[in-house]
Amino acid sequence: MSSLQIGPHTVQPPVVLAPMAGITNAPFRTLCREFSGGKGLFVSEMITTRALVERNEKTMQLIHFDATEKPRSIQLYGVDPDTVGKAVRMIAEEDLADHIDLNFGCPVPKVTRKGGGSALPYKRNLLRSILRAAVGNAGSLPVTIKMRKGIDDDHLTYLDAGRIAVEEGITAVALHGRTAAQHYSGTADWDTIARLKEHVGAISEIPVLGNGDIWSADDAKRMMRATGCDGVVVGRGCLGRPWLFGDLVAAFEGREEDYARPTMKEVADVMVRHATLLGEWLGDEARGVIDFRKHVAWYTKGFSVGSEMRRKLAVSSSLAELADHLSALDLDQPWPAGADGPRGRTSGRDRVVLPDGWLDDPYDCAGVGADAELDTSGG
Ligand SMILES: Cc1cc2nc3c(=O)[nH]c(=O)nc-3n(C[C@H](O)[C@H](O)[C@H](O)COP(=O)(O)O)c2cc1C
């Protein structure tokens, strides 16, 4: 069975839970790890470097790992080499994680308007400075990057970014096969993953990971075959479906017959467990159930639940209330065909909002406004 090497960490099978802001916190990672038997790599939601360096209270909670989580994987988002360097040094010196991923994929206008997120790799020298600062302060920690194809089809950046990553000592690169302009629309372009693998493979042996539109464990194997990539990063397919990680492990171990097809009752049990873990993590049951609300539609997708009941589930404010509503469902329902396939965000946007003159010179050495770092909503 193939494995993935991220610095000192062997990831077997080569499957990674994509960082998702507001989703891949410690409770969600715990659930996914329970289903995978601890196999795979599970990346935290994105942490902004400035908030980390300033020891913002909420940020310090976000970087919490369960005692059994190994390796501990943190994703950072930063736009300023100095601040990124300080954040990485803090993680290394204070032993806060075992792996650092850097996010260059965020497409939200609030961030690209300032030159951050998926707009940043266009400025090759700035990208290089950030990577250099990160690797230079990481000690023995492996640093990886995650990016998109580019800003739009006329401004692709992934091949240059892959080369710069190799030159700056990055341990692995992951590519989401969409441009920023696409947001989550259309289909991910797996050909670009193959092209990046070839491009990086010509100068280095660092792993290339593919990301985008893996909705089933079979999709993961298909992407690896189609692109030659060394591992897969799975995001939206896990929303309301943490057992997908069990399927991924089964697929790579040749146990396709073990794919989970949970009944409504089994899904309801996972829902209660997820909400319980969130409550424990937040130190308050009600806050946990409220944070869980966003997951309800994903867990119940395709099941015969009814809009009124979906609404009730999504406004529950205690575990007892949530469990009570769930017990009123037809719990014998088998896993519905309608639950397979795409889930989560699938929409797009035409034009990427950028700072004035951003596209004029890919090699100028201007920095990015610190306010490009305020976003917390992902990639
Ligand atoms: C709700 C949500 C939050 C996300 N947050 C992040 C993030 O914090 N960092 C990041 O690099 N990507 C983030 N992403 C992008 C995913 O990591 C992934 O690249 C993208 O969803 C494509 O993979 P998929 O088709 O498997 O979902 C987010 C995506 C979603 C849907």
Side-chain angles (χ1 to χ4, degrees):
M1 188 187 33
S2 50
S3 65
L4 166 69
Q5 201 63 35
I6 305 281
H9 312 299
T10 303
V11 182
Q12 191 173 30
V15 291
V16 179
L17 173 66
M20 288 187 282
I23 310 287
T24 59
N25 45 32
F28 190 73
R29 298 195 305 271
T30 295
L31 266 187
C32 291
R33 282 189 303 122
E34 284 174 358
F35 282 105
S36 80
K39 296 174 183 176
L41 182 67
F42 304 87
V43 185
S44 79
E45 48 188 322
M46 149 184 127
I47 306 295
T48 65
T49 51
R50 199 143 53 97
L52 182 63
V53 168
E54 288 169 0
R55 297 182 191 270
N56 171 288
E57 198 182 326
K58 182 158 177 253
T59 301
M60 296 315 281
Q61 185 188 23
L62 287 179
I63 62 166
H64 167 83
F65 289 93
D66 187 85
T68 60
E69 206 165 342
K70 271 283 171 195
R72 298 161 300 168
S73 176
I74 282 191
Q75 188 188 54
L76 293 180
Y77 170 73
V79 296
D80 168 50
D82 190 46
T83 314
V84 170
K86 284 187 183 137
V88 168
R89 179 175 291 264
M90 176 176 160
I91 292 170
E93 286 183 352
E94 298 178 24
D95 187 25
L96 300 176
D98 306 302
H99 160 232
I100 296 172
D101 184 51
L102 299 175
N103 176 2
F104 296 104
C106 187
V108 306
K110 200 164 65 169
V111 161
T112 57
R113 180 180 291 125
K114 308 281 183 189
S118 48
L120 197 144
Y122 190 76
K123 298 292 189 192
R124 274 66 170 173
N125 292 328
L126 178 58
L127 176 69
R128 187 183 289 285
S129 305
I130 291 175
L131 302 190
R132 188 168 293 178
V135 173
N137 283 286
S140 60
L141 292 184
V143 180
T144 61
I145 66 167
K146 178 164 171 287
M147 59 184 169
R148 286 185 176 236
K149 285 165 62 176
I151 291 176
D152 55 32
D153 286 340
D154 295 327
H155 302 92
L156 298 177
T157 52
Y158 69 103
L159 294 178
D160 276 1
R163 177 181 48 79
I164 293 168
V166 169
E167 289 166 0
E168 295 303 330
I170 290 295
T171 304
V173 295
L175 177 64
H176 176 193
R178 282 187 175 83
T179 61
Q182 281 179 286
H183 264 230
Y184 292 90
S185 66
T187 45
D189 176 1
W190 290 5
D191 287 349
T192 53
I193 297 166
R195 234 168 284 145
L196 180 66
K197 173 65 193 167
E198 261 172 46
H199 188 73
V200 165
I203 51 172
S204 161
E205 292 191 342
I206 68 166
V208 171
L209 284 79
N211 172 232
D213 297 356
I214 292 175
W215 307 112
S216 68
D218 290 343
D219 287 346
K221 291 186 83 173
R222 202 163 51 79
M223 176 190 275
M224 289 197 59
R225 273 196 307 273
T227 67
C229 68
D230 303 290
V232 294
V233 182
V234 185
R236 292 166 298 164
C238 297
L239 295 173
R241 241 176 16 152
W243 51 85
L244 180 56
F245 256 86
D247 288 6
L248 288 163
V249 171
F252 283 92
E253 292 178 354
R255 295 185 287 103
E256 282 79 358
E257 67 281 5
D258 290 346
Y259 287 175
R261 311 294 290 167
T263 61
M264 185 69 246
K265 163 87 175 77
E266 289 165 322
V267 171
D269 289 347
V270 177
M271 291 171 77
V272 172
R273 169 130 182 86
H274 192 168
T276 304
L277 287 171
L278 281 168
E280 286 168 8
W281 179 61
L282 292 165
D284 178 346
E285 175 186 319
R287 277 181 66 204
V289 175
I290 289 166
D291 195 66
F292 178 73
R293 290 173 177 177
K294 67 177 103 163
H295 300 272
V296 165
W298 295 320
Y299 275 109
T300 55
K301 183 174 190 281
F303 283 102
S304 169
V305 170
S307 52
E308 177 55 16
M309 183 52 102
R310 268 205 182 81
R311 194 195 59 77
K312 279 191 187 160
L313 288 168
V315 296
S316 298
S317 42
S318 71
L319 284 173
E321 196 185 339
L322 180 69
D324 190 43
H325 291 321
L326 287 170
S327 69
L329 297 176
D330 170 7
L331 294 173
D332 295 330
Q333 293 177 68
W335 176 255
D340 291 325
R343 46 179 58 220
R345 299 174 187 168
T346 51
S347 61
R349 191 177 287 267
D350 291 337
R351 201 174 62 84
V352 183
V353 190
L354 297 167
D356 280 347
W358 187 251
L359 298 174
D360 293 351
D361 180 359
Y363 293 97
D364 70 25
C365 292
V368 168
D371 47 354
E373 204 171 309
L374 292 180
D375 178 73
T376 50
S377 62

